[in-house]
Amino acid sequence: VEASMGPPAMVWQNKQRQITQLAYPRGPAGYVTFMAYFDKQGKLERIEQVLDEGHFARIKIGMTQDDVLRIIGPYRDTNVFPARNELDWNYGYCSQNLQRMAYSVMFDTRSLLVTGGQTNPDPLFPGGRMYAQPCVPWIGD
């Protein structure tokens, strides 16, 4: 996997120190993150593109930051809202209707547990610029 995709951004190992999962976000503000999953023998089981509505729906209130990272990988940027005791991790993605969108996972700043999530037009493409370049979700080879 590393020979074809390069060094991963994140690595998860089991108790025996065997690699079980690798994260590959694409681009500095990319709309695609690949997760490579390995079986107990260290063989590649599958590779998934995880920045989509289906994976976002798996994020539930009360999850930890590590839980979120294992589902959708490293975030693209963060925001802190002290008055609400909120930390947001932001992810850009291509919606099913080909719009540039941003998904935010919200955490309580004290417990660092998920308090919610929301989807909005991507702020990196304000004022209609979200349509200036094609946004095509990855659907496989």
Side-chain angles (χ1 to χ4, degrees):
V1 172
E2 287 189 43
S4 65
M5 298 183 76
M10 300 186 84
V11 176
W12 288 272
Q13 298 176 335
N14 61 18
K15 292 177 184 175
Q16 292 76 34
R17 312 269 310 145
Q18 296 168 309
I19 292 174
T20 59
Q21 185 175 339
L22 301 174
Y24 289 94
R26 294 302 190 218
Y31 289 83
V32 176
T33 293
F34 295 103
M35 290 287 188
Y37 300 93
F38 299 85
D39 66 16
K40 293 178 182 177
Q41 287 73 41
K43 292 183 182 180
L44 179 65
E45 286 185 325
R46 69 189 186 284
I47 296 177
E48 293 180 14
Q49 195 294 109
V50 296
L51 297 184
D52 59 30
E53 288 92 352
H55 286 85
F56 301 149
R58 293 169 48 187
I59 298 170
K60 305 295 183 196
I61 291 173
M63 284 185 160
T64 66
Q65 290 180 332
D66 189 55
D67 293 335
V68 172
L69 291 170
R70 288 188 75 108
I71 295 170
I72 58 177
Y75 49 85
R76 134 179 119 179
D77 63 358
T78 64
N79 293 304
V80 177
F81 302 98
R84 296 190 309 228
N85 295 314
E86 184 178 284
L87 165 67
D88 289 4
W89 286 359
N90 301 300
Y91 298 81
Y93 75 101
C94 292
S95 71
Q96 292 178 349
N97 61 356
L98 308 182
Q99 292 184 347
R100 293 180 183 275
M101 301 297 286
Y103 177 72
S104 296
V105 182
M106 297 165 295
F107 298 92
D108 178 89
T109 56
R110 290 170 282 219
S111 68
L112 298 179
L113 298 177
V114 173
T115 59
Q118 67 181 31
T119 301
N120 293 297
D122 192 340
L124 295 182
F125 291 86
R129 287 186 28 231
M130 63 191 294
Y131 303 107
Q133 299 172 354
C135 186
V136 180
W138 186 86
I139 56 172
D141 294 332

